[in-house]
Amino acid sequence: MQPFRILIVDDHAHAREGIREILEEFEDFLIIGEAKNGKEAIQLTEQLLPDIILMDIQMPEMDGLEATKRIKLQFPAVKIVMITVSDDITDLFDALKKGAQGYLLKNIQSDQWVEHLRAFALDEVPMSKEIAFQILKEFPQKKALSKENIPLSTRELELLQLVAKGLSNKEISKALFISENTVKSHLKNILSKLHLDNRVQLTSYAFQQGLVD
Amino acid sequence: MQPFRILIVDDHAHAREGIREILEEFEDFLIIGEAKNGKEAIQLTEQLLPDIILMDIQMPEMDGLEATKRIKLQFPAVKIVMITVSDDITDLFDALKKGAQGYLLKNIQSDQWVEHLRAFALDEVPMSKEIAFQILKEFPQKKALSKENIPLSTRELELLQLVAKGLSNKEISKALFISENTVKSHLKNILSKLHLDNRVQLTSYAFQQGLVD
DNA sequence: TAAATAATACCCCGAAAGAGTGATTTTTTT
DNA sequence: AAAAAAATCACTCTTTCGGGGTATTATTTA
């Protein structure tokens, strides 16, 4: 049996990696490409003609909804599953209106996530609003996409404060009396845990989550 | 006549530069050093024994109030003038309590700024709460320290949005269909206008000012 | 019309950031 | 006591940032 050919579309490299890690454990899923915005998604879809596109909604340049609309116009056979951490269900209806077949939340546990995706791929389950609602109901808390929801340690939160103030790694190292290498280590762990790519995204995240000021 | 020997203490390089630019035009002021936090301020005070310290209040590592307290304990003769963009006068009282002789706002025009500083240096004016209030009254709007208050252009605001999302210069250039050099040019102008040092500080600024999300 | 501002672009350069790997020590949990 | 997690540090390598310039072309304002 042929594996399902998957295209991952997400602006966060770590998020893409998280999805890849999970799906690569299963033989019936094959990741054939990654895109980090709507434009790239359209390009790669033309080139690779995937069976399924896992598409993030929030993206720079061209968001997932717009990309979904355009892709479905050109390639109606491609199945598109929106992925998002949002628990705002208005996004869901927008996505379905634009032609997305499915809707998966990043916050559900990875094994269930894959199960749903497979069922969807096999057309066993017409991924409906009802199912999406059910998922929402079962997993109200936000959980990270990967293995488990790894919270930041106190030390990491301490570091985060200084990063968001715009201090350099060297300045942070002096402020906390540790080496610059250690600062870099911590920062790498933080970015990895939160599936972010750089300190600016971390700063935005911190403000949006109310972790600073 | 000997010039007044000045130590500038501010965590923003651009702010320090702004002060330096203004004061260097006058022969009776000599900038003998710059510090970017309270700790450095104490160190440099011990080494250089300035006549006057221009001290920012908000700083990482050790803020201006704490530094003022410690410096006045060790060197009561040093005159300390707090500088701030804050129009919150509670800071003012705190500063005076901690031993600061004066209080200047970054937002007043540079010529008046220098006049006040010189008068203060010559002990002609015992910089009092009343005078500070008067300054506050005359200049209620926030204005930048340098020549004038330069607002961001629409294009610059557009760029700011993408910076705060954590996009790299290259990614921004692709998103806006301009060269990476142009992105860098814009960013340099933005940081210079706002007296900030890097894109993380710009991101924090944007959130605090409600320019994003 | 002349002057100022905005938007575009290029160069050089050193510093900083971030990815990859690996490792040790302390603390906490099981 | 053993295992897991947290905190520390090092070393290399490549890319990105940010400061220093300078310059051209529109557009807007005086």
Side-chain angles (χ1 to χ4, degrees):
Chain A
M1 187 184 144
Q2 298 277 53
F4 301 110
R5 301 169 63 255
I6 313 268
L7 172 65
I8 302 173
V9 187
D10 198 308
D11 57 325
H12 295 310
H14 279 99
R16 294 198 301 273
E17 201 184 321
I19 297 171
R20 179 181 279 278
E21 269 177 25
I22 292 170
L23 291 184
E24 273 179 348
E25 291 175 26
F26 303 94
E27 290 178 359
D28 53 342
F29 291 115
L30 177 65
I31 293 154
I32 60 169
E34 296 185 10
K36 63 175 186 296
N37 58 55
K39 287 198 175 170
E40 285 187 16
I42 292 173
Q43 264 195 317
L44 284 176
T45 300
E46 289 169 353
Q47 282 173 32
L48 306 172
L49 269 177
D51 298 319
I52 301 173
I53 301 176
L54 297 180
M55 175 103 67
D56 190 24
I57 291 188
Q58 298 91 9
M59 282 182 304
E61 189 136 7
M62 183 191 293
D63 72 24
L65 297 178
E66 180 64 23
T68 296
K69 197 179 72 181
R70 299 200 191 180
I71 290 172
K72 288 303 285 187
L73 262 174
Q74 225 184 322
F75 309 97
V78 177
K79 294 180 181 177
I80 300 179
V81 177
M82 307 306 287
I83 48 176
T84 178
V85 288
S86 168
D87 27 44
D88 178 6
I89 49 171
T90 58
D91 279 347
L92 188 155
F93 292 116
D94 282 343
L96 295 175
K97 255 192 294 182
K98 290 285 195 309
Q101 269 78 25
Y103 194 87
L104 286 175
L105 295 175
K106 285 184 187 176
N107 19 353
I108 70 173
Q109 281 152 358
S110 60
D111 52 339
Q112 306 217 13
W113 200 89
V114 175
E115 259 179 52
H116 278 289
L117 181 61
R118 184 179 292 112
F120 169 67
L122 290 168
D123 294 316
E124 284 175 359
V125 180
M127 178 89 50
S128 66
K129 287 162 247 172
E130 285 69 31
I131 287 181
F133 270 121
Q134 191 189 324
I135 295 170
L136 274 167
K137 218 172 174 181
E138 283 178 43
F139 307 95
Q141 284 99 303
K142 281 204 178 188
K143 287 187 180 179
L145 176 55
S146 64
K147 331 294 174 188
E148 56 258 303
N149 182 24
I150 311 159
L152 298 186
S153 69
T154 50
R155 191 57 159 174
E156 287 168 343
L157 280 171
E158 212 172 336
L159 226 119
L160 165 55
Q161 304 297 318
L162 301 181
V163 169
K165 279 187 184 168
L167 301 209
S168 69
N169 290 340
K170 191 179 289 180
E171 289 169 328
I172 294 171
S173 79
K174 285 176 188 165
L176 299 181
F177 304 103
I178 55 181
S179 84
E180 192 182 341
N181 283 320
T182 304
V183 173
K184 286 177 138 190
S185 265
H186 280 306
L187 193 50
K188 267 185 288 190
N189 286 333
I190 294 172
L191 292 179
S192 176
K193 281 182 181 180
L194 301 175
H195 304 293
L196 301 173
D197 293 332
N198 57 55
R199 61 210 294 125
V200 175
Q201 284 176 10
L202 178 58
T203 302
S204 290
Y205 171 86
F207 273 96
Q208 284 163 353
Q209 299 295 314
L211 299 178
V212 291
D213 243 31
Chain B
M1 189 186 142
Q2 299 278 50
F4 300 111
R5 301 169 65 252
I6 312 268
L7 173 64
I8 302 173
V9 187
D10 198 309
D11 56 327
H12 295 310
H14 279 99
R16 293 198 302 272
E17 201 184 321
I19 297 171
R20 178 182 280 277
E21 269 178 23
I22 294 170
L23 291 185
E24 274 178 346
E25 292 175 25
F26 303 93
E27 289 178 358
D28 53 342
F29 291 114
L30 176 65
I31 293 155
I32 58 168
E34 296 185 9
K36 62 175 187 298
N37 59 54
K39 287 196 177 173
E40 286 186 17
I42 292 173
Q43 263 194 319
L44 284 176
T45 301
E46 288 169 354
Q47 281 173 32
L48 306 172
L49 269 176
D51 298 318
I52 300 174
I53 301 175
L54 296 179
M55 175 103 66
D56 190 24
I57 290 189
Q58 298 91 9
M59 284 183 302
E61 189 136 9
M62 183 192 295
D63 71 23
L65 298 178
E66 180 64 22
T68 296
K69 198 179 73 181
R70 298 200 192 180
I71 289 172
K72 289 301 286 186
L73 263 174
Q74 226 182 321
F75 309 98
V78 177
K79 294 180 180 176
I80 299 179
V81 177
M82 307 306 287
I83 47 176
T84 178
V85 287
S86 168
D87 28 44
D88 179 5
I89 47 168
T90 57
D91 278 350
L92 189 155
F93 294 115
D94 282 344
L96 295 176
K97 255 193 294 183
K98 289 286 195 310
Q101 268 80 24
Y103 194 86
L104 286 174
L105 295 175
K106 287 183 185 174
N107 20 352
I108 71 173
Q109 282 152 357
S110 60
D111 51 341
Q112 304 216 15
W113 200 90
V114 175
E115 259 178 51
H116 279 288
L117 181 61
R118 184 178 292 112
F120 168 67
L122 291 168
D123 293 315
E124 284 174 359
V125 181
M127 179 88 52
S128 66
K129 288 162 248 171
E130 285 69 32
I131 287 180
F133 269 121
Q134 191 190 322
I135 295 171
L136 274 167
K137 217 172 174 182
E138 284 178 42
F139 307 96
Q141 283 98 305
K142 279 203 180 191
K143 285 188 180 177
L145 177 55
S146 64
K147 331 296 174 187
E148 56 257 306
N149 181 25
I150 310 158
L152 297 186
S153 70
T154 50
R155 192 57 159 173
E156 287 168 342
L157 280 172
E158 212 173 336
L159 226 121
L160 165 55
Q161 304 298 318
L162 302 181
V163 169
K165 279 186 184 168
L167 302 210
S168 70
N169 290 341
K170 192 179 289 179
E171 289 169 329
I172 293 171
S173 79
K174 286 177 187 164
L176 298 180
F177 304 105
I178 56 181
S179 83
E180 192 181 341
N181 281 321
T182 304
V183 174
K184 291 176 106 181
S185 272
H186 281 307
L187 193 52
K188 268 185 287 189
N189 286 333
I190 295 173
L191 293 180
S192 174
K193 281 182 181 180
L194 301 176
H195 303 294
L196 301 173
D197 294 330
N198 57 55
R199 60 213 292 128
V200 174
Q201 284 176 11
L202 179 58
T203 302
S204 290
Y205 171 86
F207 273 96
Q208 284 163 354
Q209 299 295 315
L211 299 177
V212 292
D213 243 31

